[in-house]
């Protein structure tokens, strides 16, 4: 792979993964309009995912570290309570006792429908990605939801009191966003705001809940991985693209924190309208 192509794809991954403009929709447009080869190969796909995952970890490392500790504490408390019930005739002790333990459970609840929908809709998603008009129409719809997001009132729910049912709704929204043209970050943040989440928490929740989704994609890709993929002479270019995706992803996450607080999704909505209209018109008249 050429260095320039690796950098361009790393930039697209970092920008479109976190800004509410749909990375898959843009890749479809690049592929169908410009004839740009978006088939990066398995190894580079994995590295790009690792780059964007690194950006999430850097921005939210304190929250993620707390979630890891509380997640392990949940497992420990579960077996401790189970042992007490079975062998000591004790009453069941609550497991989810802190806000961050609730946060862990919310992420799990949101991930379940996303995974199920990803498996069931895989064929439809691949078919949509092979066209230009479907991503174009979905980009137009994505712009509409971004305008709606700016008009939603500020909520107050956080990890301390958000119901699990609303976490399920956000997970369904993330599953829908697997279609090309629908932004994952824009859709999940809009769903969070519609459910009454606090704006700052909506952004944090949206990006942290992306971690299981990205890890799931990595696992699926690594199932087809073989050591021979490491022997190519493209490793330096791959690493350059990965670094670009991580740095650009970090900047875009920080940008989203400001955008959501300032209710400035409308600018991304106008961009999605322009790109969506272009894709639809090109597919009709080209």
């Amino acid at each position: 792979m050429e260095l320039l192509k690796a950098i361009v794809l790393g930039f697209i991954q970092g920008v479109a993964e976190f800004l509410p403009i749909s990375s898959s929709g843009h890749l479809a447009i690049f592929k169908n309009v410009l004839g740009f080869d978006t088939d990066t190969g398995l190894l580079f796909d994995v590295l790009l995912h690792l780059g964007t995952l690194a950006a999430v970890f850097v921005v939210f490392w304190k929250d993620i570290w707390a979630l890891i500790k509380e997640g392990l504490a949940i497992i420990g408390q579960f077996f401790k309570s189970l042992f007490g019930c079975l062998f000591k005739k004790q009453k069941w002790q609550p497991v989810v006792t802190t806000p961050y333990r609730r946060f862990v459970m919310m992420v799990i609840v949101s991930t379940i429908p996303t995974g199920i929908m990803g498996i069931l809709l895989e064929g439809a998603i691949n078919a949509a990605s092979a066209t230009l008009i479907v991503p174009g129409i979905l980009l137009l719809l994505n712009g509409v939801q971004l305008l709606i997001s700016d008009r939603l009132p500020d909520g107050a729910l956080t990890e301390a009191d958000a119901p699990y049912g609303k976490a399920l709704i956000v997970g369904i929204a993330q599953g829908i966003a697997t279609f090309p043209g629908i932004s994952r970050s824009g859709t999940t943040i809009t769903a969070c705001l519609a459910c009454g989440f606090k704006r700052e928490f909506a952004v944090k929740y949206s990006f942290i809940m992306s971690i299981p989704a990205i890890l799931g994609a990595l696992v699926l890709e690594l199932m087809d991985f073989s050591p021979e993929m490491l022997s190519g002479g493209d490793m330096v270019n791959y690493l350059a693209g990965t670094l670009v995706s991580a740095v650009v992803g970090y900047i875009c996450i920080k940008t989203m924190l400001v955008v959501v607080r300032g209710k400035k999704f409308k600018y991304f909505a106008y961009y999605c309208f322009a790109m969506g209209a272009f894709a639809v018109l090109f597919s009709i008249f080209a």
Side-chain angles (χ1 to χ4, degrees), residues 167-198:
L168 183 66
I169 293 173
V170 177
I172 293 173
Q174 182 171 242
I176 295 172
T178 54
F179 279 93
I182 301 293
S183 163
R184 192 210 65 82
S185 61
T187 301
T188 53
I189 290 174
T190 300
C192 286
L193 296 175
C195 287
F197 287 20
K198 190 175 180 181

Side-chain angles (χ1 to χ4, degrees), residues 126-146:
N126 291 335
S129 299
T131 70
L132 185 59
I133 191 167
V134 173
I137 293 172
L138 293 181
L139 274 169
L140 295 174
L141 294 176
N142 190 63
V144 172
Q145 80 160 345
L146 294 179

Side-chain angles (χ1 to χ4, degrees), residues 143-154 189-190 193 199 259-270:
V144 172
Q145 80 160 345
L146 294 179
L147 291 179
I148 293 173
S149 178
D150 274 351
R151 288 162 174 76
L152 291 172
D154 293 340
I189 290 174
T190 300
L193 296 175
R199 286 186 174 270
V259 166
V260 175
R261 282 196 298 265
K263 298 184 178 182
K264 296 178 180 179
F265 266 163
K266 62 182 179 181
Y267 300 112
F268 295 107
Y270 300 151

Side-chain angles (χ1 to χ4, degrees), residues 71-109:
L72 294 174
I74 288 174
I75 297 173
Q77 182 64 41
F78 172 81
F79 284 106
K80 180 179 179 181
S81 296
L82 183 63
F83 180 83
C85 290
L86 294 177
F87 300 104
K88 296 184 178 180
K89 306 302 181 182
Q90 296 176 346
K91 292 184 178 179
W92 180 264
Q93 298 297 315
V95 174
V96 183
T97 55
T98 68
Y100 269 97
R101 291 191 186 187
R102 283 183 54 81
F103 200 167
V104 172
M105 298 305 298
M106 288 175 65
V107 171
I108 293 173
V109 169

Side-chain angles (χ1 to χ4, degrees), residues 219-269:
V219 170
L220 291 176
E221 290 173 341
L222 287 173
M223 290 175 64
D224 297 322
F225 182 79
S226 63
E228 289 77 14
M229 296 178 182
L230 295 173
S231 61
D234 295 326
M235 220 30 222
V236 173
N237 296 343
Y238 285 178
L239 293 176
T242 303
L243 179 61
V244 170
S245 71
V247 173
V248 173
Y250 173 86
I251 295 171
C252 291
I253 294 175
K254 288 290 190 178
T255 301
M256 284 292 286
L257 291 169
V258 176
V259 166
V260 175
R261 282 196 298 265
K263 298 184 178 182
K264 296 178 180 179
F265 266 163
K266 62 182 179 181
Y267 300 112
F268 295 107

Side-chain angles (χ1 to χ4, degrees), residues 3-26:
L3 177 60
L4 179 59
K5 179 181 177 181
I7 292 175
V8 169
L9 289 171
F11 181 83
I12 294 172
Q13 176 76 12
V15 170
E17 181 72 23
F18 297 122
L19 294 184
I21 57 176
S22 177
S23 58
S24 56
H26 278 71

